């Protein structure tokens, strides 16, 4: 017995030694191969970079002084800043130290981070064909696990143009009908706001209301989230959608580990399946109701001119269930909480600035307390527009705009220590436009860029490239008109209903909590006077 065991143990020992040798060799070869590839790229691009320096006067931008070889120190500092509730202030600090454009790296990926309007214009308008919205295969696969191939997730090219051409006309035609949809949900919001002066969280109520509005506009049916006892199906969908979004954000920010998600199924995959199952039922219903052989005497929901359903309009144009689901999920992600957080942020500031609330209310009531809230009427309200722009500037979408150079090219400014020379950009370089820092620039918005001052928009002379809350270029958000319409509708109704808006939060500063989107940490506690 002992004699037969000895050879087997010896074989096992040899196998373990081979496995350890393989692991050791992989650990040695992988970084070496990466380093050699990096050096090859540097050497191959040098003649072109030298030519650009001589011909166009290109110079290198200031470099961030990383404390480690891989550049993880900067990533860690930014994550810690977000965890402390400081938002993007660390970017402001770095732009102040190194200029409006500087270079950083992460695992040999060179990145040029900028808040310079001239560079933003160049990337998105002057030379957009030199850059692409490109993501690694692992990161792309992770995001598409939930969202599929829709207008938000696809790379530049024919597939994205198809999504854009499909989505834009639908949003343009839906603008007027959309006012009818939001109106009844705002009525419900006004009903549940306590009129006895007691404190309530307006951010929570707005999130529920806009969830209802988004589901009705996109799917044709509200989710009854305002109910004291919402349907189990609604609760399950919301919970799984939140879980899925948190999952893809976590894996998306760790792209080099994303392969682990495919090796070990986790809550992210399960949540995605639940979300897809819920939306697929609505897609199947829409395809049935819009089928060419549908009896003409049987009206579909979209046949009512006052009932606009995005899903039905989409089903009339494409008949592929997976593509429809992808487009709907992409837009649901964007529509669900962005407007709620933005509107809540405006009320956060107005509750702390009673004079601004009084000014807004006076301007609205002067137009008539019973004037119909049409799309054109809401667009004409200058004071509402100023508050909207100021809130977008302060607490609007803060996700940096990322592009990759798909050829050797040049940025017009940011090179040299003083940041005035052109920059040579090698193919493969990542360009990150940090719009939050751009919108808080003293050079563009005056000496008080962190103050809530809507009047600054009455005499603003900054260019459109100084204010890009919805992105820029061809991929600008197609729903920006709907965002303003919803925002304005809520503010007008609240001004008509309530004389005063009072702050009930202990703190004064807006502290950002990054969840599905950037929102006020701890909610927005207010009270109203009738």
């Amino acid at each position: 017995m002992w004699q037969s065991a000895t050879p087997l143990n010896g074989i096992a020992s040899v196998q373990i030694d081979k496995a350890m040798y393989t692991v050791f060799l992989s650990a040695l070869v992988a970084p070496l191969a990466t380093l050699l590839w990096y050096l090859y790229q540097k050497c191959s691009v040098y003649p072109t970079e030298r030519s650009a320096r001589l011909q166009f006067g290109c110079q290198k931008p200031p470099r961030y002084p990383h404390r480690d070889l891989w550049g993880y120190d900067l990533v860690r500092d930014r994550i810690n800043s977000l965890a402390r509730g400081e938002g993007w202030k660390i970017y402001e600090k770095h732009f102040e130290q190194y200029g409006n454009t500087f270079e950083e790296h992460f695992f040999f990926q060179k990145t040029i981070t900028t808040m310079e309007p001239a560079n933003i214009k160049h990337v998105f308008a002057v030379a957009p064909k030199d850059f692409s919205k490109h993501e690694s295969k692992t990161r792309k696969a992770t995001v598409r696990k939930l969202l599929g191939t829709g207008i938000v997730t696809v790379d530049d090219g024919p597939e994205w143009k198809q999504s854009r051409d499909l989505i834009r006309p639908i949003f343009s035609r839906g603008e007027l009908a959309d006012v009818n949809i939001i109106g009844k949900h705002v009525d419900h919001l006004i009903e549940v706001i306590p009129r006895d002066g007691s404190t309530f969280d307006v951010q929570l109520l707005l999130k529920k209301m806009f969830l209802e509005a988004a589901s009705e506009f996109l799917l044709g049916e509200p989710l009854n989230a305002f109910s004291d006892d919402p349907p189990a199906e609604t609760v399950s969908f919301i919970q799984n959608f939140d879980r899925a979004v948190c999952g893809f954000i976590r894996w998306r920010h760790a792209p080099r580990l994303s392969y682990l998600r495919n090796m070990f199924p986790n809550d992210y995959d399960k949540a995605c399946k639940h979300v897809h199952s819920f939306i697929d039922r609505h897609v199947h219903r829409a395809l049935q109701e819009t089928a060419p052989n549908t009896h003409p005497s049987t009206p579909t929901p979209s046949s009512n001119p006052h009932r606009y359903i995005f899903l039905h309009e989409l089903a009339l144009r494409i008949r592929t269930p997976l593509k429809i689901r992808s487009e709907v999920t992409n837009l649901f992600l964007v529509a669900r909480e962005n407007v709620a957080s933005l509107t809540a942020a405006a009320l956060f500031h107005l509750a702390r600035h009673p004079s601004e609330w009084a000014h807004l209310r006076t301007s609205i009531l002067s137009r008539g307390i019973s004037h119909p809230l049409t799309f054109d009427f809401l667009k004409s309200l200058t004071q509402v527009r100023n508050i909207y722009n100021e809130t977008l500037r302060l607490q609007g979408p803060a996700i940096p705009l990322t592009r990759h150079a798909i050829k050797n090219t040049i940025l017009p400014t940011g090179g040299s220590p003083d940041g005035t020379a052109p920059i040579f950009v090698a193919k493969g370089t990542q360009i990150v436009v940090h719009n939050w820092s751009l919108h808080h620039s003293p050079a563009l918005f005056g000496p008080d860029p962190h103050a809530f001052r809507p009047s600054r928009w009455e005499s603003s002379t900054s260019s459109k490239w100084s204010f890009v809350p919805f992105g820029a270029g061809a991929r600008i958000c197609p729903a920006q008109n709907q965002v303003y319409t919803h925002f304005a509708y809520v503010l007008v109704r609240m001004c008509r209903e309530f004389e005063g808006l009072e702050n009930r939060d202990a703190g004064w500063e807006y502290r950002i909590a990054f969840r599905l989107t950037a929102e006020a940490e701890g909610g927005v506690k207010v009270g109203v006077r009738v």
Side-chain angles (χ1 to χ4, degrees):
M1 199 68 176
W2 288 101
Q3 290 178 350
S4 62
T6 302
L8 291 176
N9 288 339
I11 293 172
S13 177
V14 170
Q15 290 176 335
I16 292 173
D17 288 342
K18 286 183 177 181
M20 292 180 64
Y21 175 75
T22 302
V23 171
F24 172 77
L25 190 63
S26 300
L28 181 66
V29 170
L32 182 61
T34 303
L35 178 61
L36 290 174
W37 175 249
Y38 173 74
L39 293 175
Y40 167 75
Q41 287 182 312
K42 292 284 289 184
C43 293
S44 62
V45 82
Y46 176 75
T48 308
E49 183 176 4
R50 182 175 181 275
S51 175
R53 187 166 63 247
L54 295 174
Q55 185 175 356
F56 301 105
C58 293
Q59 296 189 44
K60 292 184 178 295
R63 296 188 65 183
Y64 179 82
H66 288 284
R67 301 186 299 276
D68 61 40
L69 177 64
W70 309 109
Y72 181 70
D73 59 321
L74 183 55
V75 174
R76 183 176 59 247
D77 290 347
R78 287 170 176 169
I79 291 174
N80 291 338
S81 176
L82 293 175
R84 291 192 299 268
E86 297 174 358
W88 301 109
K89 290 183 180 179
I90 189 171
Y91 280 89
E92 276 190 285
K93 174 185 174 183
H94 292 156
F95 281 122
E96 185 177 345
Q97 289 178 317
Y98 309 115
N100 286 357
T101 303
F102 63 90
E103 180 183 314
E104 58 182 272
H105 74 267
F106 182 63
F107 282 90
F108 299 117
Q109 171 63 63
K110 179 193 289 187
T111 297
I112 295 177
T113 303
T114 186
M115 54 167 276
E116 175 59 52
N119 286 339
I120 299 172
K121 179 180 179 181
H122 185 83
V123 170
F124 291 99
V126 177
K129 293 183 179 179
D130 292 355
F131 304 91
S132 174
K133 182 183 179 296
H134 172 75
E135 293 187 309
S136 66
K137 290 183 179 179
T138 52
R139 177 177 289 188
K140 190 184 301 182
T142 300
V143 175
R144 290 186 178 183
K145 180 73 176 180
L146 171 65
L147 301 179
T149 54
I151 192 168
V152 176
T153 58
V154 294
D155 292 337
D156 294 337
E159 193 175 12
W160 174 77
K161 289 180 179 178
Q162 181 187 31
S163 286
R164 180 197 60 184
D165 294 342
L166 189 68
I167 297 300
R168 276 186 175 176
I170 293 176
F171 269 107
S172 297
R173 288 177 53 197
E175 288 170 0
L176 295 177
D178 198 30
V179 176
N180 296 317
I181 292 176
I182 192 65
K184 68 177 184 179
H185 295 293
V186 177
D187 288 341
H188 197 173
L189 172 71
I190 298 297
E191 288 175 5
V192 299
I193 290 177
R195 293 173 174 262
D196 59 358
S198 57
T199 300
F200 65 98
D201 184 356
V202 71
Q203 180 171 267
L204 178 61
L205 293 183
L206 286 168
K207 289 172 71 172
K208 288 184 177 181
M209 188 206 75
F210 280 113
L211 172 61
E212 291 287 85
S215 62
E216 183 166 4
F217 175 73
L218 293 175
L219 304 177
E221 294 181 0
L223 296 178
N224 297 318
F226 258 129
S227 171
D228 294 332
D229 185 22
E233 185 182 43
T234 294
V235 175
S236 175
F237 172 68
I238 295 172
Q239 290 176 344
N240 280 290
F241 194 88
D242 286 345
R243 194 174 295 124
V245 170
C246 290
F248 94 65
I249 288 175
R250 182 170 60 250
W251 288 111
R252 189 174 183 269
H253 283 82
R256 298 176 186 276
L257 302 177
S258 293
Y259 67 92
L260 294 174
R261 182 189 62 76
N262 298 319
M263 295 173 60
F264 304 102
N266 50 55
D267 287 344
Y268 174 59
D269 299 271
K270 295 176 184 176
C272 289
K273 289 180 180 178
H274 280 288
V275 170
H276 294 165
S277 176
F278 179 87
I279 294 179
D280 283 344
R281 288 197 294 273
H282 289 277
V283 171
H284 179 69
R285 171 178 52 81
L287 287 171
Q288 284 187 323
E289 293 175 349
T290 58
N293 60 350
T294 300
H295 196 280
S297 62
T298 306
T300 64
S302 284
S303 64
N304 183 343
H306 299 294
R307 183 90 192 281
Y308 188 93
I309 300 173
F310 174 84
L311 180 58
H312 284 80
E313 297 296 327
L314 200 59
L316 290 170
R317 290 163 173 76
I318 51 176
R319 307 297 295 175
T320 308
L322 185 59
K323 178 63 175 174
I324 297 175
R325 182 229 282 169
S326 296
E327 297 294 357
V328 170
T329 310
N330 273 241
L331 293 174
F332 194 86
L333 173 74
V334 176
R336 185 193 157 190
E337 290 191 359
N338 282 351
V339 191
S341 300
L342 182 68
T343 310
L347 295 172
F348 174 96
H349 291 294
L350 290 169
R352 286 157 175 75
H353 297 82
S355 61
E356 293 290 353
W357 173 265
H359 184 199
L360 172 65
R361 190 165 187 268
T362 300
S363 68
I364 289 174
L365 296 183
S366 68
R367 300 290 296 271
I369 196 170
S370 59
H371 194 292
L373 300 187
T374 62
F375 180 74
D376 291 331
F377 175 75
L378 295 172
K379 283 179 62 177
S380 71
L381 300 175
T382 303
Q383 185 61 18
V384 174
R385 175 68 70 173
N386 290 343
I387 291 174
Y388 173 74
N389 285 339
E390 185 69 347
T391 308
L392 272 175
R393 187 186 68 80
L394 286 172
Q395 275 88 36
I399 303 300
L401 308 175
T402 303
R403 293 293 183 270
H404 282 75
I406 57 177
K407 58 187 292 189
N408 294 332
T409 185
I410 293 173
L411 288 179
T413 187
S416 76
D418 64 359
T420 58
I423 302 172
F424 172 75
V425 180
K427 179 181 177 180
T429 301
Q430 180 176 253
I431 308 295
V432 174
V433 172
H434 205 266
N435 47 6
W436 192 92
S437 298
L438 173 73
H439 298 161
H440 290 75
S441 168
L444 297 172
F445 295 100
D448 59 345
H450 292 278
F452 179 74
R453 185 166 60 84
S455 61
R456 77 175 79 242
W457 294 94
E458 294 173 1
S459 57
S460 176
T461 57
S462 57
S463 72
K464 72 174 185 177
W465 300 106
S466 300
F467 187 57
V468 289
F470 293 102
R475 296 190 75 124
I476 195 167
C477 176
Q480 55 184 310
N481 284 332
Q482 277 81 355
V483 174
Y484 172 75
T485 300
H486 289 185
F487 177 95
Y489 202 107
V490 173
L491 255 60
V492 171
R493 287 295 311 279
M494 289 196 69
C495 283
R496 287 180 174 182
E497 293 286 337
F498 307 114
E499 180 181 349
L501 181 69
E502 299 175 356
N503 171 40
R504 300 289 172 81
D505 281 314
W508 180 270
E509 183 181 2
Y510 189 97
R511 291 181 62 82
I512 297 177
F514 284 93
R515 294 187 178 92
L516 187 58
T517 184
E519 61 183 47
E521 186 179 54
V524 178
K525 307 297 194 306
V526 298
V528 297
R529 295 194 315 274
V530 181

